[in-house]
């Protein structure tokens, strides 16, 4: 094999998160090709070959997999890289994710443990409460588009006119906004030249409440009258209700959704969502699990794994907007949440007060530094770190507490596996774990692990 060579092969398996292991036809060896489904016969181009490890780029699916038993549910599949597995049955998707997670954990965990499989999302489609759409064009100098990036491209944007991950209310809003700016021939921001106006449309909708926050992100390079757009949005026939329309100004050079200034064009700059009998106020940029009903499944697992915490102090580290902390607070002596994003901490404090919880404390700062400043000692620790896992300097401090139980919630099982090595070396064993599928049709899956100290402190 050599770089640039075009080959054909059969996808034997897919390793987490989307690495297809392809047996090459008429050649010895295998090649890793992303974005494939087990059983497909594909054509691919070798783009990396080093020390016997070959990686390829998918060019074409020559024969569908026996697992592909459904027709695509949206018009931009498979060009859009979001819903890789929508042609597979949901049962087969979960089975594949279960196998991926178990293989990684089996290699990382010492000794016996109980693997409880994968729990399904209550909703297979239209489950997302948040979506970031980009403005652009589908091809160079084409008409304005609004939606999701084409698979493998940082420039081409496919209009998401029938995305099945979001509620129909979001689709109606997206098409209204797109048509408004198409009719006025308004420019989009070109990230190489750093010129243009339209950047992103950030939509957030409470699955339980139906409250919708519309966030239009632009540069300050042009001025446009958004009053008619506001009237058109408020006139849409929606199942839910728009409670806020915000104009977010962002002149940063990088292609990220962030704010230099927020202007409220209608209503308020927040909406409410409900989880497990609690209500949460969510602002444009505050973190919240994107699958509300799936999050309830996830947090029930956390509550079950953590067990009896009556009269116990719980540390919720990497606490975000304090969702886990507030779900545990009614049955704990006290919960202390630590989160580096200040806005999330303020939201957590406000939500705890709103829910009548007086035994929650939230601290803004880096876990590595904040742990030195907290006087209380935890009895139980919950970890819910970002995708990259826990910083290697912070993890030893966490383990120094020597608590009897640690519950680790991970959105990237390979990061979890890396952290498990140190945790096991420091005297913890894995009791049980389960995968929770919050991201149906996609390559992602959550994992929850219960760890127990082998020789707990007296």
């Amino acid at each position: 094999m050599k770089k640039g060579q075009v080959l054909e092969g059969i996808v034997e398996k897919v390793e987490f998160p989307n690495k297809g292991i392809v047996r090459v036809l008429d050649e010895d060896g295998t090649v890793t090709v992303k974005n494939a489904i087990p059983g497909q016969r594909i054509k691919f181009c070798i783009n990396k070959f080093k020390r016997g490890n070959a990686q390829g780029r998918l060019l074409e699916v020559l024969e569908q997999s026996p697992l592909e038993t459904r027709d695509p549910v949206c018009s931009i599949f498979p060009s859009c890289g979001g819903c890789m597995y929508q042609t597979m049955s949901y049962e087969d998707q979960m089975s594949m994710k279960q196998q991926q997670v178990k293989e990684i954990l089996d290699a990382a965990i010492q000794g016996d443990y109980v693997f409880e499989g994968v729990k399904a999302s209550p909703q297979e489609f239209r489950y997302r409460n948040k979506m970031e759409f980009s403005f652009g064009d589908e091809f160079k100098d084409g008409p304005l588009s609004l939606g999701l990036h084409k698979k493998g491209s940082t420039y081409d944007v496919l209009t998401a006119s029938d995305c099945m991950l979001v509620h129909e209310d979001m689709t109606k809003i997206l098409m209204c906004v797109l048509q408004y700016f198409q009719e006025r021939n308004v420019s989009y921001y070109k990230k190489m030249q750093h010129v243009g106006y339209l950047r992103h449309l950030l939509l957030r909708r409470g699955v339980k409440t139906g409250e919708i926050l519309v966030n239009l992100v632009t540069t300050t390079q042009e001025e446009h009258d958004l009053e008619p757009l506001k009237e058109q949005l408020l006139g849409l026939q929606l199942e839910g209700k728009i409670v806020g329309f915000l104009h977010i100004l962002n002149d940063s050079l990088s292609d990220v959704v962030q704010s230099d200034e927020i202007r409220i064009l209608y209503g308020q700059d927040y909406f409410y969502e409900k989880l497990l009998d609690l209500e949460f106020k969510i602002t444009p940029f505050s973190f919240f699990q994107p699958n509300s009903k799936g999050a309830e499944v996830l947090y029930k697992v956390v509550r079950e794994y953590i067990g009896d915490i009556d009269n116990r102090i719980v540390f919720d580290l990497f606490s975000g907007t304090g969702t886990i902390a507030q779900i545990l607070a009614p049955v704990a002596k006290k919960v202390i949440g630590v989160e580096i994003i200040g806005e999330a901490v303020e939201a957590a404090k406000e939500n705890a007060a709103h829910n009548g919880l007086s035994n929650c404390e939230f601290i803004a700062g880096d876990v590595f530094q904040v742990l030195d400043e907290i006087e209380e000692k935890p009895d139980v620790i919950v970890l819910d770190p970002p995708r990259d896992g826990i910083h290697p300097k912070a993890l030893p401090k966490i383990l120094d507490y020597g608590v009897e139980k640690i519950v680790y919630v991970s959105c990237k099982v390979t990061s979890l596996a890396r952290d498990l090595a140190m945790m096991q070396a420091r005297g913890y064993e894995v009791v049980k774990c389960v995968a929770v599928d919050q991201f149906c049709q996609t390559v992602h899956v959550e994992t929850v692990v219960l760890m127990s100290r082998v020789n707990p402190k007296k």
Side-chain angles (χ1 to χ4, degrees):
M1 292 183 218
K2 59 180 182 291
K3 191 173 179 180
Q5 189 175 2
V6 175
L7 299 167
E8 296 180 10
I10 306 293
V11 184
E12 293 189 330
K13 63 183 289 192
V14 174
E15 296 180 348
F16 180 86
N18 62 341
K19 298 175 182 176
I21 307 303
V22 182
R23 176 172 47 83
V24 183
L25 301 178
D26 304 322
E27 294 267 359
D28 290 330
T30 60
V31 179
T32 301
V33 181
K34 291 183 178 181
N35 303 318
I37 291 175
Q40 285 179 335
R41 183 169 175 242
I42 63 173
K43 181 188 288 187
F44 56 92
C45 176
I46 301 293
N47 56 6
K48 282 186 182 178
F49 189 76
K50 191 174 183 181
R51 296 184 186 137
N53 293 321
Q55 295 180 22
R57 177 171 56 88
L58 179 64
L59 298 176
E60 183 183 358
V61 176
L62 301 173
E63 290 180 16
Q64 284 192 313
S65 163
L67 295 175
E68 294 184 88
T69 57
R70 306 195 294 195
D71 293 328
V73 295
C74 81
S75 59
I76 56 177
F77 177 87
S79 298
C80 167
C83 302
M84 286 307 306
Y85 302 134
Q86 61 173 271
T87 54
M88 297 171 63
S89 72
Y90 188 43
E91 291 73 20
D92 284 335
Q93 290 180 41
M94 289 197 297
S95 177
M96 183 174 67
K97 290 181 180 182
Q98 175 174 311
Q99 181 181 351
Q100 290 173 345
V101 171
K102 189 172 188 303
E103 281 187 4
I104 292 169
L105 293 180
D106 281 350
I109 294 174
Q110 302 162 8
D112 296 330
Y113 73 101
V114 177
F115 183 64
E116 298 183 324
V118 58
K119 291 182 180 290
S121 167
Q123 276 183 247
E124 186 185 347
F125 293 104
R126 304 199 186 282
Y127 56 83
R128 286 193 65 95
N129 57 43
K130 175 188 176 184
M131 206 70 166
E132 294 176 3
F133 295 110
S134 300
F135 287 95
D137 52 22
E138 295 194 14
F139 53 88
K140 194 173 185 331
D141 300 324
L144 182 69
S145 59
L146 175 57
L148 302 167
H149 282 279
K150 190 175 181 179
K151 185 166 55 187
S153 172
T154 56
Y155 301 104
D156 301 338
V157 173
L158 305 170
T159 293
S161 60
D162 55 357
C163 177
M164 289 294 290
L165 293 189
V166 300
H167 192 277
E168 291 162 312
D169 284 354
M170 288 194 186
T171 303
K172 289 180 180 179
I173 292 168
L174 179 145
M175 295 307 294
C176 174
V177 171
L178 175 59
Q179 184 177 0
Y180 181 84
F181 290 116
Q182 280 179 335
E183 290 173 350
R184 288 157 179 79
N185 199 28
V186 177
S187 68
Y188 72 89
Y189 179 74
K190 297 183 177 180
K191 50 194 172 189
M192 292 299 289
Q193 297 95 325
H194 308 304
V195 295
Y197 179 69
L198 299 167
R199 298 194 72 153
H200 298 96
L201 179 67
L202 169 60
L203 299 180
R204 306 197 72 161
R205 182 187 187 278
V207 173
K208 298 288 192 71
T209 64
E211 295 186 356
I212 303 166
L213 201 58
V214 180
N215 307 274
L216 177 67
V217 185
T218 77
T219 68
T220 60
Q221 295 180 25
E222 300 174 14
E223 288 285 342
H224 293 277
D225 183 9
L226 300 178
E227 188 67 21
L229 175 59
K230 181 189 81 172
E231 297 303 323
Q232 287 184 27
L233 288 171
L234 295 177
L236 291 173
Q237 295 296 311
L238 304 175
E239 185 180 311
K241 180 185 178 184
I242 295 175
V243 296
F245 176 33
L246 311 184
H247 183 195
I248 297 175
L249 305 177
N250 174 17
D251 282 321
S252 67
L253 298 181
S254 57
D255 187 32
V256 292
V257 181
Q258 63 182 46
S259 167
D260 297 331
E261 179 187 347
I262 296 180
R263 298 173 181 173
I264 301 177
L265 304 182
Y266 169 78
Q268 60 206 34
D269 61 353
Y270 61 89
F271 72 102
Y272 284 104
E273 178 63 310
K274 294 180 179 179
L275 280 184
L276 298 175
D277 301 323
L278 296 174
E279 194 168 57
F280 296 91
K281 178 181 177 181
I282 305 168
T283 54
F285 298 106
S286 58
F287 174 79
F288 197 79
Q289 290 286 353
N291 179 346
S292 297
K293 292 182 179 178
E296 290 189 324
V297 175
L298 179 72
Y299 294 148
K300 283 177 182 176
V301 170
V302 172
R303 205 157 58 181
E304 174 201 333
Y305 276 19
I306 206 165
D308 181 12
I309 51 174
D310 183 41
N311 206 34
R312 301 232 173 161
I313 295 175
V314 180
F315 277 13
D316 177 16
L317 305 182
F318 314 97
S319 57
T321 50
T323 319
I324 291 176
Q326 292 173 67
I327 286 168
L328 297 178
V331 291
K333 178 181 179 181
K334 184 177 183 179
V335 183
I336 298 175
V338 181
E339 168 60 45
I340 198 168
I341 299 173
E343 182 186 357
V345 172
E346 291 307 310
K349 291 177 179 178
E350 190 172 342
N351 283 324
H354 179 75
N355 288 311
L357 301 170
S358 58
N359 62 335
C360 285
E361 180 183 351
F362 296 100
I363 303 170
D366 190 319
V367 168
F368 177 67
Q369 296 174 325
V370 170
L371 291 182
D372 292 332
E373 303 164 7
I374 302 177
E375 292 183 2
E376 291 101 329
K377 302 299 180 188
D379 299 301
V380 182
I381 293 176
V382 177
L383 304 169
D384 189 4
R387 289 185 61 78
D388 290 335
I390 303 170
H391 193 283
K393 288 186 177 180
L395 188 52
K397 282 191 179 182
I398 295 169
L399 299 175
D400 282 346
Y401 285 113
V403 298
E404 293 181 27
K405 279 185 185 179
I406 296 176
V407 177
Y408 191 135
V409 182
S410 171
C411 57
K412 187 178 180 184
V413 68
T414 48
S415 299
L416 167 65
R418 183 204 65 216
D419 291 343
L420 285 178
M422 181 185 292
M423 297 171 84
Q424 290 174 123
R426 291 285 302 274
Y428 284 88
E429 63 181 2
V430 175
V431 179
K432 57 184 176 179
C433 59
V434 66
V436 180
D437 186 25
Q438 289 209 89
F439 309 102
C440 323
Q441 325 308 324
T442 80
V443 302
H444 305 291
V445 65
E446 298 265 338
T447 309
V448 186
V449 172
L450 170 62
M451 302 199 75
S452 173
R453 189 164 179 82
V454 178
N455 297 304
K457 290 181 179 179
K458 300 297 181 184

